[in-house]
Amino acid sequence: MSAHTTTDGDVAGRSPAPAAVDWDAQAAVFDDEPDHGLRDPRVRAAWAERLREWLPERPAEILDLGCGTGSLALLAAEQGHRVTGVDSSPAMVDLARAKLAGRDAAFLVGDAASPPVGERRFDTVLVRHVLWALPDPAGALRHWRELLRPAGRLVLIEGVWGTVTPVGIPTERLLTLLTPLARHTRVDHLSADALLWGKEVPDERYAVVALT
């Protein structure tokens, strides 16, 4: 799920906890945001094209963490991938299951930082607007790296939102955290692509594809 909530401070390299959000209460209106629901065909097509660039070309096992209502999971499934989504909100998970009914996908209620997938391993871990809000992003990245099969990849869509009291994780900080975990990283800057967001945005928005 996206988590654009206000925080303050940063201690010992850890992100501060964002203000509490009742995601179950937000689930019913979550898809109203253009980049959440992907209801506009142009926005949907823009995200689908990006996923084709970021995900493996062949059918793969994708772990979508903080999956929200499953919009990106649906695009990945439509491209031939098998998706496992994890979200802390039961209401979000219910909506994702309904959205992907009949697809090769499964959804679990759980913590994105430590998803309840047991010994399963995946070709790609996909995370959008979640890492910055976790109390220990470095620890989460290390754990996600362990969930990947050999030659797997992390697809991390992040940003910095706001101008007066900005929140998020800057590109350079994320790249620094990935240095010991990835053999190659690629950054795609997304702010200028208004179709992804359904509007012009002034924030820093980007994706990092990290090959392990």
Side-chain angles (χ1 to χ4, degrees):
M1 67 183 68
S2 297
H4 302 173
T5 49
T6 302
T7 64
D8 47 42
D10 188 358
V11 180
R14 293 187 174 219
S15 296
V21 176
D22 184 345
W23 290 112
D24 281 335
Q26 292 292 315
V29 297
F30 187 77
D31 279 356
D32 290 348
E33 287 293 322
D35 59 309
H36 293 174
L38 309 186
R39 292 167 173 163
D40 184 325
R42 297 168 300 173
V43 176
R44 194 176 195 278
W47 279 103
E49 182 59 30
R50 292 288 184 167
L51 283 188
R52 288 189 192 95
E53 297 172 1
W54 299 332
L55 300 181
E57 292 184 10
R58 62 177 177 79
E61 295 273 351
I62 310 297
L63 180 60
D64 182 2
L65 298 177
C67 65
T69 61
S71 293
L72 291 189
L74 178 57
L75 294 182
E78 289 176 344
Q79 293 176 15
H81 303 294
R82 173 172 172 75
V83 184
T84 299
V86 175
D87 202 280
S88 62
S89 163
M92 293 281 192
V93 167
D94 286 345
L95 290 172
R97 287 171 176 158
K99 189 177 289 186
L100 278 85
R103 301 280 182 178
D104 194 7
F107 294 92
L108 307 169
V109 176
D111 182 1
S114 184
V117 295
E119 298 301 313
R120 290 185 61 194
R121 295 296 178 263
F122 300 85
D123 300 298
T124 299
V125 172
L126 169 67
V127 192
R128 180 171 68 164
H129 301 169
V130 172
L131 181 66
W132 77 270
L134 299 179
D136 183 9
L141 287 170
R142 288 193 298 270
H143 184 60
W144 297 343
R145 169 67 179 82
E146 293 171 357
L147 297 176
L148 290 172
R149 292 171 176 159
R153 67 182 69 186
L154 299 169
V155 177
L156 307 168
I157 304 161
E158 286 294 334
V160 178
W161 299 274
T163 54
V164 178
T165 55
V167 296
I169 180 167
T171 311
E172 290 306 316
R173 183 182 174 212
L174 180 50
L175 291 175
T176 298
L177 293 176
L178 287 168
T179 296
L181 304 175
R183 59 183 171 83
H184 175 75
T185 55
R186 175 184 123 196
V187 178
D188 287 351
H189 297 284
L190 307 178
S191 300
D193 190 347
L195 279 179
L196 290 173
W197 318 109
K199 59 186 178 183
E200 299 288 338
V201 296
D203 312 294
E204 176 188 1
R205 306 190 187 194
Y206 63 91
V208 174
V209 178
L211 305 180
T212 61

